[in-house]
Amino acid sequence: MGRIAVMGRPPQVWDYWRPIGSGIVELGTVRGVDVALPVHFHREDQLTFVLAGRRRFVIAGELCEAGPGEGVHIPAGTPHRSLCGPDEVVCINLYTPPGLHAAPEMVAALARHCRRTGGLEWADLTRIAEDHRLAIGTGVEPLVELTGDEPWDTVGAAARRAGMSREGFSRRFRKQHGVPPHAFQLQDRLNDARLLLRAGEPIAAVAADTGFADQSHLGRCFRRAFGVTPGRYRAG
């Protein structure tokens, strides 16, 4: 892998790579002005490190911003959304197993490396991540369902299983998870799709296995949540 470029890339592009033989599940780059994404969450920890511009997130109702040489850590399972800014942003995303890396120390090491060398190579990124892997992961509390371990098809069915009214269930669920129950369920299916695509499964099969009407339906929802089509994501 070569240097992570700040210039010379098309605008508004998400790209993903899966480094082999490292503790990183996935690497991503984001470049553009219109880089907003709606509320979503990941099953991995996300660390966003900014190379140019400012990256802006809303996490648990709070605005979090990072400029060049700064980073934002979003723990696994944390609903968040990203915002546009006035200028182009260039940043990298690292997706790692929950609680397995010391995020603040990684950001500081990445910043020192960029100041010293004026850039960042993919090999440097994976090395720095490996240097800050914890001997024992801290772990994270999983998203706690209000409905038990069994899957549910509708909000009404989930509310009945929890012994609550639909309205009361939805209010409590949103307070607990930060998103309405139907949005949580959709995002959970999209994360299932992300995992299958990462494993190289055919897109049509992934759509069927994760409960989408067809490949086009999956494509629309996937791109809206993650900024990239299933085909482009799978190719990474």
Side-chain angles (χ1 to χ4, degrees), residues 40-53:
H40 63 285
F41 60 86
H42 303 279
R43 290 176 181 163
E44 305 83 22
D45 284 353
Q46 174 181 331
L47 191 152
T48 294
F49 184 77
V50 180
L51 299 173

Side-chain angles (χ1 to χ4, degrees), residues 95-128:
Y95 301 94
T96 59
L100 196 60
H101 290 77
E105 291 81 359
M106 280 177 60
V107 170
L110 289 167
R112 286 194 300 271
H113 181 87
C114 286
R115 287 196 299 269
R116 186 173 66 251
T117 66
L120 189 61
E121 304 278 345
W122 288 118
D124 299 323
L125 185 60
T126 55
R127 175 184 55 77
I128 290 170

Side-chain angles (χ1 to χ4, degrees), residues 23-55:
I24 299 174
V25 175
E26 197 161 63
L27 293 170
T29 60
V30 181
R31 176 192 171 109
V33 176
D34 186 11
V35 294
L37 291 176
V39 176
H40 63 285
F41 60 86
H42 303 279
R43 290 176 181 163
E44 305 83 22
D45 284 353
Q46 174 181 331
L47 191 152
T48 294
F49 184 77
V50 180
L51 299 173
R54 296 194 68 80
R55 194 78 169 103

Side-chain angles (χ1 to χ4, degrees), residues 207-221:
D209 290 345
T210 52
F212 290 89
D214 52 30
Q215 185 171 326
S216 296
H217 183 207
L218 169 63
R220 290 192 299 274
C221 295

Side-chain angles (χ1 to χ4, degrees), residues 145-146 169-177 179 181 184:
E145 296 277 10
L146 299 179
F169 173 84
S170 295
R171 284 195 301 271
R172 183 175 172 187
F173 194 102
R174 182 162 192 159
K175 182 177 180 181
Q176 183 171 339
H177 297 303
V179 292
F184 177 93

Side-chain angles (χ1 to χ4, degrees), residues 146-199:
L146 299 179
T147 56
D149 295 330
E150 297 180 21
W152 44 280
D153 295 327
T154 67
V155 177
R160 287 192 296 272
R161 187 175 299 161
M164 303 172 67
S165 69
R166 177 188 169 94
E167 292 74 17
F169 173 84
S170 295
R171 284 195 301 271
R172 183 175 172 187
F173 194 102
R174 182 162 192 159
K175 182 177 180 181
Q176 183 171 339
H177 297 303
V179 292
H182 67 276
F184 177 93
Q185 188 184 48
L186 173 61
Q187 186 62 40
D188 207 36
R189 289 161 53 207
L190 287 169
N191 279 320
D192 284 340
R194 193 174 172 117
L195 186 64
L196 292 171
L197 291 167
R198 197 182 294 156

